[in-house]
Amino acid sequence: TEAWMMSHPCPICQGTGLAPPSACSADAPCRACHGPGQYRRVVALIQARLGSRRFPAKVLALIADLPMLQHVVNRTRQIQGVEEVIVIAPEGDEFPGITATIWHPPVPPDDVLGRYAWAAKQANADIIMRLTSDCPALDPALCAEILDFFLTYPDPIGLEYLSNDWRTSGYPSGLDCEVFTREILEEA
């Protein structure tokens, strides 16, 4: 992966790590690679399923005339630094009226980790942002901050995983997101 990144400079900054010159971005980190000058493809994967025991098909429940899942997709599309948004679901789960790319990875229905690994590989993702479909109050700015911290972490080894999990971060449940490398996902 390191060799591939070195041979694929960021298309926005051409490997300099700096934003293209403008009145408001002089010496600012590039918005695409966040500074290192190497391209890393960031894909948001939204886990969705219809099989909830307590509230079947809750991701299709209407909130302000839109299904909950559509709110999550719309907010995810606003996260700066995310290149593609994909909903991943068990085979057979259909989401009528949802305007999003929806994949049904060919893994057993209970294999959530396998679903993520398959989708990350198919999407050619270097970095994955994991989100859930039942968090319609997702904060795009907060998710962008977490992604930016992950991508610009000063340790030369970098981060493999970062989360604002509500149990440890102090943020309320429903605002959590996770960011991790495809390598660490494939090792799990």
Side-chain angles (χ1 to χ4, degrees):
T1 300
E2 184 71 26
W4 184 90
M5 283 174 39
M6 295 307 289
S7 66
H8 290 82
C10 173
I12 303 298
C13 69
Q14 301 302 313
T16 66
L18 298 175
S22 75
C24 62
S25 67
D27 298 325
C30 173
R31 65 178 167 72
C33 69
H34 297 269
Q38 287 82 40
Y39 175 71
R40 294 190 288 175
R41 181 168 162 73
V42 179
V43 175
L45 298 177
I46 303 169
Q47 165 67 26
R49 66 187 180 93
L50 298 177
S52 171
R53 288 189 192 112
R54 291 178 295 163
F55 188 173
K58 75 176 170 182
V59 300
L60 295 178
L62 295 181
I63 301 171
D65 297 325
L66 285 177
M68 182 185 309
L69 176 57
Q70 190 64 58
H71 285 284
V72 175
V73 168
N74 293 349
R75 288 175 172 269
T76 303
R77 287 178 176 147
Q78 296 173 29
I79 300 171
Q80 187 173 359
V82 170
E83 289 183 52
E84 186 172 12
V85 177
I86 302 168
V87 175
I88 55 174
E91 289 182 302
D93 281 8
E94 298 299 326
F95 303 93
I98 301 298
T99 57
T101 300
I102 301 173
W103 288 355
H104 298 88
V107 300
D110 294 337
D111 187 1
V112 177
L113 186 62
R115 197 171 301 130
Y116 274 95
W118 183 91
K121 184 174 183 178
Q122 294 301 310
N124 197 29
D126 298 302
I127 307 295
I128 296 96
M129 177 171 278
R130 178 189 178 274
L131 302 164
T132 56
S133 57
D134 60 352
C135 295
L138 170 84
D139 183 348
L142 176 60
C143 291
E145 278 184 46
I146 292 164
L147 178 61
D148 187 58
F149 185 86
F150 182 91
L151 293 171
T152 59
Y153 188 70
D155 186 317
I157 296 172
L159 292 174
E160 294 178 321
Y161 177 86
L162 183 63
S163 170
N164 70 332
D165 184 292
W166 63 271
R167 290 169 288 222
T168 57
S169 71
Y171 286 102
S173 181
L175 295 180
D176 42 320
C177 70
E178 299 171 72
V179 181
F180 45 88
T181 65
R182 188 164 109 196
E183 290 82 11
I184 201 73
L185 173 62
E186 289 173 349
E187 288 176 20

